[in-house]
């Protein structure tokens, strides 16, 4: 029997992987993927709670999160392409013109 | 949960009741059976979104379609379309204000209360100033186009949705609409490497922050079974003791997520980079609009839904203290005016947090709201002067570029002095009134319930104001005593838009400083009937 707790543990693990990915990986695309993982951890949480409460709001929330994540990925990749045209790099460490 | 019969809920019961019913004039539930019913329901509610719909209409039809139709040399007209949208939205907002069209709309996800009217006016003013400043600036940068103005309007819609939102989902949608418009706007100078880099940084950290915020929201939903702020407040107050740690975790995640948006330390790393790389009008809009919008959500959440939660006061207090220290000390080392103003904007966030921490009973909401409105004018003023300094071939954003400005342009230099004095909080400028309101609130709170944290915050705020004076006067010193190196500098880039923006901001900064009662009444209005819905 899979209970809500199982979903929450799974979601917490995915969330942690996402956060660690954002903080440690240096490739912009992998950072983007880690952010997607965080969003999906949220979705699992929302749908699990929605199932537990028998309340549709959580699922509606998850659908909105998926939609927004898609838009965010589009913008993110657009920015990466604009940057790559000018700089030819996708490494966070090399993107260092602004500092101080 | 509503169930039709006893026992197992059917598939239709999974959908909350209010998705199918609305209340008629007699306040009885009324099923939306026909298309006509549904249309009537939307008709009733759409009035609440009047200003947002106006902006959307002008952004899509005014700016975007004109962009396609107009030849390259008259793209500036799209900016005038944006001004038209702002004018119509302001008119609609004014009608809402005059007619007292207050209430809760769209199945308790949107509220029109004095607080939201006040902040919608603030966002419209910020958008107006941004467009005025952009008209010439984008021409110099060779990036004049309709999408730019459309995105400014869309970001404004996002902010307006945020301040009206009383549901976690609506807050999130508004936040993302605003944030995504800003990701693009910050990187709008796509041939400029600094702008690309700024855009990437604000995007990565902004998306990360909204992920963390969302995780906090999902935990709150799990703990309370609802996404509505009013239900959240009730359920959190009645939460069993074993849930306390989990609630605290959720609230901390929300603090982290919103802390990024208001650029509070330690979540401020993106701000100086994004501010420096972005087109200057967008920097001004970002430092005012996005901060104010995130603060409205913070005020609604922390002084509305989380009042019963223990512990957030201490966390936010420490955040405010760190913001005072880091924001002011880092500003001392800057040579770039945009970066300097970025750190100044970070330390202003700490003052606004003081208002939040003082709490609702002691006028904290009015203080924060008034501070944000005054900050809008003085900050836009400083950025408007910075935009004048941007000429063909000269970025004009180093402190050294201000050298000897008083001898070449005495009026502009004096106005810059007024804006900087106001940012530092010296009377008789508006900035003093802003600081006065915040300190009055926090001292009142301290008198009522003395705590070491409130005392430390008040002292830190006072010390920070002195430190801030030093770095603002770096610019003043350059303007008044610096030797201008080159004699044949091109003239400042005056244009009707920038002149209008400077007149508005300088006028407000001085007027509010000398006659503060109007702004205080407006701030009191914003805090009136707060959370009554």
């Amino acid at each position: 029997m899979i209970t809500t707790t199982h979903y929450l543990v799974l979601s917490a693990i995915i969330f942690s992987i996402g956060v660690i990915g954002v903080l440690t990986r240096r490739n912009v695309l992998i950072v983007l993927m880690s952010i997607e993982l965080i969003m999906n951890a949220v979705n699992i949480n929302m749908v699990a709670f929605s199932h537990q409460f028998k309340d549709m709001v959580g699922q509606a929330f998850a659908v909105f999160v998926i939609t927004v994540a898609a838009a965010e990925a589009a913008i993110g990749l657009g920015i990466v392409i604009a940057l790559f045209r000018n700089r030819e790099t996708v490494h966070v460490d090399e993107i260092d013109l602004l500092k101080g | 949960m509503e169930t039709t019969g006893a026992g197992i809920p059917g598939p239709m019961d999974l959908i909350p009741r209010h998705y199918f019913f609305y209340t008629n004039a007699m306040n009885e539930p009324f099923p939306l059976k026909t298309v006509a019913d549904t249309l009537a329901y939307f008709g009733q509610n759409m009035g609440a979104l009047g200003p947002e719909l106006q902006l959307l209409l002008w952004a899509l039809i005014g700016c975007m379609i004109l962009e396609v139709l107009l030849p390259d040399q008259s793209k500036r007209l799209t900016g005038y379309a944006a001004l038209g949208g702002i004018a119509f939205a302001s008119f609609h907002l004014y009608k809402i204000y005059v007619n007292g069209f207050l209430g809760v709309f769209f199945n308790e996800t949107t509220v029109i209360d004095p607080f939201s009217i006040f902040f919608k006016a603030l966002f419209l003013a910020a958008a107006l100033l941004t467009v005025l400043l952009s008209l010439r600036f984008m021409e110099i940068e060779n990036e004049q186009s309709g999408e730019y103005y459309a995105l400014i309007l869309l970001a404004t819609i996002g902010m307006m949705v945020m301040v009206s939102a009383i549901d976690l989902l609506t807050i999130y949608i508004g936040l993302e609409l605003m944030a995504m418009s800003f990701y693009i706007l910050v990187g709008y100078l796509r041939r400029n490497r600094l702008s690309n880099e700024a855009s990437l940084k604000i995007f990565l950290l902004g998306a990360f922050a909204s992920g963390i915020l969302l995780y906090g929201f999902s935990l709150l939903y799990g703990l309370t079974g609802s996404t509505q702020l009013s239900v959240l407040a009730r359920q959190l107050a009645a939460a069993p003791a074993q849930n306390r740690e989990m609630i605290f975790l959720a609230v901390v995640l929300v603090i982290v997520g919103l802390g990024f948006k208001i650029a509070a330390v330690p979540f401020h790393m993106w701000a100086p980079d994004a501010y420096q790389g972005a087109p200057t009008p967008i920097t001004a809009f970002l430092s005012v609009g996005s901060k104010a919008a995130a603060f409205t959500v913070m005020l609604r959440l922390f002084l509305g839904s989380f009042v019963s939660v223990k512990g957030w006061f201490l966390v936010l207090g420490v955040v405010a203290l760190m913001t005072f220290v880091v924001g002011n000390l880092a500003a001392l080392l800057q040579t770039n005016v945009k970066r300097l103003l970025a750190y100044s904007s970070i330390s202003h966030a700490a003052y606004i947090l003081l208002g939040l921490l003082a709490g609702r009973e002691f006028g904290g909401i009015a203080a924060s709201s008034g501070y944000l409105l005054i900050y809008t004018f003085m900050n836009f003023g400083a950025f408007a002067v910075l935009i004048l300094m941007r000429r063909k071939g000269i970025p004009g954003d180093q402190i050294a570029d201000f050298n000897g400005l008083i001898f070449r342009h005495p009026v502009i230099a004096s106005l810059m002095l007024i804006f900087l004095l106001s940012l530092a909080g010296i009377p008789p400028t508006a900035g003093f009134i802003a600081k006065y309101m915040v300190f009055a609130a926090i001292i009142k709170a301290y008198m009522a319930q003395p705590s070491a944290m409130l005392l430390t915050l008040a002292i830190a705020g006072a010390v920070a104001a002195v430190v801030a004076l030093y770095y603002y006067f770096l610019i003043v010193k350059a303007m008044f005593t610096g030797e201008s190196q080159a004699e044949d500098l091109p003239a400042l880039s005056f244009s009707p838009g920038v002149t209008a923006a400077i007149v508005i901001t300088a006028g407000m900064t001085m007027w509010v400083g000398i006659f503060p009662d109007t702004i205080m009444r407006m701030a009191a209005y914003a805090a009136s009937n707060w959370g009554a819905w």
Side-chain angles (χ1 to χ4, degrees):
Chain A
M1 175 67 191
I2 294 181
T3 63
T4 307
T5 315
H6 290 93
Y7 289 116
L8 294 190
V9 171
L10 173 68
S11 146
I13 292 171
I14 293 179
F15 179 74
S16 314
I17 295 173
V19 171
I20 293 169
V22 171
L23 296 178
T24 59
R25 300 306 290 261
R26 304 265 59 97
N27 186 313
V28 173
L29 295 173
I30 296 184
V31 174
L32 270 176
M33 285 153 75
S34 306
I35 291 171
E36 292 295 314
L37 278 183
I38 296 176
M39 299 284 188
N40 286 327
V42 173
N43 288 341
I44 293 173
N45 252 357
M46 282 292 181
V47 175
F49 287 134
S50 168
H51 181 74
Q52 189 191 4
F53 299 139
K54 301 283 178 276
D55 174 40
M56 282 300 273
V57 173
Q59 297 193 27
F61 209 126
V63 171
F64 273 97
V65 172
I66 292 170
T67 318
V68 169
E72 211 157 48
I75 291 177
L77 291 176
I79 293 171
V80 172
I81 288 172
L83 186 85
F84 191 78
R85 280 204 183 128
N86 286 337
R87 296 287 300 277
E88 308 249 316
T89 179
V90 287
H91 276 265
V92 180
D93 291 334
E94 294 167 25
I95 302 169
D96 55 358
L97 290 177
L98 294 163
K99 58 187 158 203
Chain B
M1 241 297 292
E2 306 280 333
T3 49
T4 38
I8 308 137
M12 289 299 274
D13 297 317
L14 291 182
I15 300 168
R17 204 169 115 96
H18 57 260
Y19 277 70
F20 284 115
F21 294 91
Y22 77 105
T23 47
N24 64 9
M26 277 93 78
N27 223 14
E28 294 160 336
F30 200 78
L32 296 177
K33 278 191 185 135
T34 63
V35 176
D37 282 344
T38 317
L39 285 180
Y41 173 73
F42 272 96
Q44 276 187 347
N45 282 265
M46 276 304 171
L49 285 188
E52 286 91 334
L53 290 176
Q54 284 286 354
L55 287 181
L56 185 65
L57 200 74
W58 285 76
L60 296 184
I61 296 179
C63 300
M64 299 293 263
I65 293 188
L66 272 183
E67 155 72 23
V68 181
L69 299 179
L70 287 174
D72 271 350
Q73 64 272 22
S74 47
K75 286 279 159 66
R76 175 195 278 251
L77 280 179
T78 55
Y80 295 125
L83 288 179
I86 293 167
F88 275 82
S90 312
F91 177 70
H92 216 126
L93 187 67
Y94 174 72
K95 289 305 258 186
I96 287 179
Y97 167 72
V98 171
N99 296 339
F101 191 68
L102 308 176
V104 177
F105 302 90
F106 292 109
N107 301 321
E108 297 182 36
T109 56
T110 302
V111 69
I112 307 290
D113 56 357
F115 185 71
S116 64
I117 292 179
F118 176 90
F119 274 100
K120 282 180 184 181
L122 188 155
F123 298 143
L124 285 173
L128 170 74
L129 291 169
T130 313
V131 174
L132 287 179
L133 294 180
S134 301
L135 287 170
R136 175 62 59 87
F137 185 86
M138 293 315 271
E139 215 134 275
I140 295 176
E141 297 284 358
N142 247 335
E143 293 280 359
Q144 191 77 278
S145 62
E147 302 96 290
Y148 175 81
Y149 298 104
L151 283 168
I152 291 178
L153 296 191
L154 289 177
T156 316
I157 298 173
M159 295 170 196
M160 291 166 92
V161 170
M162 273 168 91
V163 63
S164 274
I166 50 169
D167 191 289
L168 295 182
L169 179 54
T170 330
I171 290 177
Y172 174 64
I173 295 299
L175 186 99
E176 285 298 319
L177 180 55
M178 176 192 80
M180 285 193 199
S181 310
F182 272 126
Y183 301 152
I184 307 173
L185 284 172
V186 166
Y188 207 80
L189 309 176
R190 63 178 190 283
R191 283 177 277 272
N192 180 331
R193 289 176 167 199
L194 296 182
S195 184
N196 293 155
E197 190 176 321
S199 168
L200 184 74
K201 282 182 176 164
I202 188 177
F203 169 74
L204 287 181
L205 288 171
F208 181 47
S210 47
I212 291 176
L213 179 73
L214 265 186
Y215 201 76
F217 281 179
S218 75
L219 291 182
L220 284 173
Y221 174 61
L223 288 160
T224 61
S226 173
T227 54
Q228 290 181 4
L229 297 196
S230 50
V231 181
L232 229 62
R234 275 203 303 282
Q235 296 281 1
L236 289 178
Q242 76 263 23
N243 278 358
R244 204 165 286 155
E245 286 81 18
M246 210 58 187
I247 292 176
F248 182 66
L249 176 67
V251 170
V252 168
L253 289 172
V254 171
I255 291 180
V256 174
L258 290 174
F260 268 102
K261 300 287 170 196
I262 63 168
V265 179
F267 321 112
H268 68 292
M269 302 81 74
W270 61 273
D273 293 348
Y275 284 24
Q276 189 187 346
T280 316
I282 297 308
T283 311
F285 197 30
L286 188 64
S287 68
V288 168
S290 130
K291 191 180 297 262
F295 262 112
T296 61
V297 171
M298 281 190 105
L299 286 167
R300 276 214 202 277
L301 283 176
F302 289 94
L303 300 185
S305 302
F306 299 163
V307 268
S308 57
V309 179
K310 301 273 178 298
W312 65 259
F313 179 83
L314 209 62
V315 178
L316 269 186
V318 172
V319 166
L321 276 180
M322 286 195 289
T323 310
F324 272 130
V325 175
V326 177
N328 286 294
L329 292 185
L332 294 176
L333 307 172
Q334 303 307 319
T335 53
N336 181 298
V337 179
K338 268 165 120 179
R339 274 190 102 77
L340 193 151
L341 286 175
Y343 281 108
S344 124
S345 151
I346 290 170
S347 70
H348 278 286
Y351 285 106
I352 304 165
L353 270 179
L354 283 193
L356 195 163
L357 288 165
R360 190 180 152 200
E361 299 83 32
F362 308 105
I365 295 172
S368 291
S369 311
Y371 199 111
L372 281 164
L373 184 61
I374 292 172
Y375 179 66
T376 304
F377 290 112
M378 57 194 190
N379 205 38
F380 261 102
F383 275 108
V385 174
L386 200 55
I387 284 166
L388 280 181
M389 307 288 289
R390 171 78 174 95
R391 287 151 282 180
K392 274 254 182 267
I394 302 177
D397 57 357
Q398 299 296 322
I399 291 183
D401 289 322
F402 280 82
N403 277 347
L405 190 67
I406 187 79
F407 306 114
R408 284 175 285 138
H409 297 278
V411 176
I412 295 303
S414 325
L415 288 177
M416 186 66 175
L417 176 66
I418 290 175
F419 295 131
L420 291 174
L421 285 178
S422 182
L423 284 168
I426 307 284
T429 55
F432 172 71
I433 306 301
K435 291 224 165 54
Y436 166 77
M437 288 198 288
V438 164
F439 278 110
I442 199 127
I443 288 168
K444 232 183 274 172
Y446 178 73
M447 292 301 195
Q449 20 186 256
S451 72
M453 182 48 98
L454 283 174
L455 186 65
T456 324
L457 283 169
I459 294 173
V463 174
V466 179
V467 178
L469 203 55
Y470 175 79
Y471 59 76
Y472 291 126
F473 268 69
L474 289 178
I475 304 176
V476 176
K477 184 173 148 251
M479 284 196 307
F480 283 79
T481 64
E483 299 243 338
S484 159
Q485 299 99 336
E487 284 301 309
D488 53 342
L489 284 172
L492 295 187
S493 50
F494 282 101
S495 71
V498 179
T499 313
I502 288 188
V503 167
I504 296 172
T505 51
M508 286 304 285
T509 307
M510 285 314 292
W511 182 62
V512 170
I514 297 168
F515 304 106
D517 52 329
T518 314
I519 203 108
M520 286 187 166
R521 238 179 299 128
M522 283 163 80
Y525 170 74
S528 64
N529 279 330
W530 203 83
W533 29 273

